[in-house]
């Protein structure tokens, strides 16, 4: 049975990095990175949020179609229970199991601590600058603190959710913990 694996968590916690590594070690696994899909839509920089809303149903269609061929890993912050349920339903509709993993930085239990890691984030992905701008405009550390609370509530409300500590600067240990959790 194939499965989509949702790697959920705050911005900068390593979702995309771990998703790429997961797929690289499992040939045939699709990385369905919504932020990357977003960059394929003209005007995405000026309409980042709106394009994201339009691309998510397209990602669900891509996932549904691909599950017949193989596994999917989805690195995406999803803090809304209804949206999480929609992705889980895509898996069920395709006859696949759904695995939800929340990546958490054990030292980032507050918005400020999460913000410090987020601001240290590096990478060449084209959407990073836009996400930094949007987070700052939407309240910065307060917004990230709200996401910390919302993700914690999802974990509490959904006993099947796996939680993996994402240790900043230690991708190897974090990845090993992810592999162990999903075994």
């Amino acid at each position: 049975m194939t499965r989509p694996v949702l790697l959920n968590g705050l911005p900068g916690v390593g979702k995309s990095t771990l998703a790429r590594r997961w797929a690289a070690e499992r040939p045939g696994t699709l990385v369905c990175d919504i932020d990357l899909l977003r960059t394929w839509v003209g005007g995405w920089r000026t309409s980042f949020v709106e394009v994201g809303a339009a691309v998510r149903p397209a990602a669900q269609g891509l996932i549904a179609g691909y599950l017949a061929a193989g596994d999917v890993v989805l690195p995406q912050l999803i803090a809304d229970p209804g949206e999480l349920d929609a992705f889980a339903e895509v898996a069920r509709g395709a006859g696949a199991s759904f695995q939800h993993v929340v990546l958490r930085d054990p030292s980032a239990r507050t918005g400020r601590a999460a913000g410090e890691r987020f601001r240290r984030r590096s990478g060449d992905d084209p959407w990073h600058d836009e996400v930094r701008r949007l987070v700052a405009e939407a309240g910065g550390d307060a917004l990230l603190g709200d996401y910390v609370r919302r993700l914690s509530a999802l974990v509490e409300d959904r006993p099947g959710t796996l939680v993996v500590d994402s240790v900043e600067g230690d991708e190897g240990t974090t990845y090993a913990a992810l592999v162990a959790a999903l075994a």
Side-chain angles (χ1 to χ4, degrees):
M1 177 185 293
T2 59
R3 68 178 170 179
V5 175
L6 168 61
L7 296 182
N8 201 350
L10 294 173
V13 78
K15 299 179 299 292
S16 294
T17 300
L18 293 172
R20 289 183 199 125
R21 184 166 173 184
W22 179 267
E25 294 185 10
R26 288 158 186 79
T29 298
L30 170 69
V31 177
C32 184
D33 195 321
I34 290 173
D35 290 330
L36 180 58
L37 291 176
R38 183 187 321 241
T39 67
W40 296 354
V41 177
W44 69 271
R45 288 183 195 273
T46 57
S47 300
F48 193 81
V49 173
E50 295 82 2
V51 169
V55 167
R56 284 180 188 236
Q60 291 171 347
L62 176 61
I63 292 167
Y66 194 81
L67 284 172
D71 290 344
V72 177
V73 62
L74 171 68
Q76 184 66 38
L77 168 60
I78 299 179
D80 177 85
E83 189 173 358
L84 181 61
D85 290 341
F87 278 96
E89 185 55 39
V90 167
R92 283 190 290 277
S97 63
F98 178 75
Q99 192 63 66
H100 179 212
V101 179
V102 173
L103 299 171
R104 284 201 290 209
D105 183 332
S107 66
R109 300 285 187 211
T110 66
R112 182 169 187 222
E116 289 170 2
R117 178 171 177 169
F118 171 66
R119 286 184 288 278
R120 287 189 298 270
R121 170 192 204 174
S122 63
D124 295 330
D125 294 320
W127 60 86
H128 283 177
D129 290 339
E130 190 60 24
V131 171
R132 280 186 195 95
R133 183 187 68 75
L134 288 171
V135 167
E137 287 178 0
D141 292 351
L143 173 69
L144 295 173
D146 181 54
Y147 279 131
V148 167
R149 288 184 291 283
R150 292 170 65 189
L151 287 170
S152 293
L154 282 177
V155 169
E156 287 179 30
D157 292 344
R158 296 163 191 269
T161 299
L162 301 174
V163 177
V164 172
D165 283 343
S166 175
V167 180
E168 186 175 11
D170 193 352
E171 179 187 326
T173 298
T174 301
Y175 183 73
L178 175 65
V179 170
L182 289 169

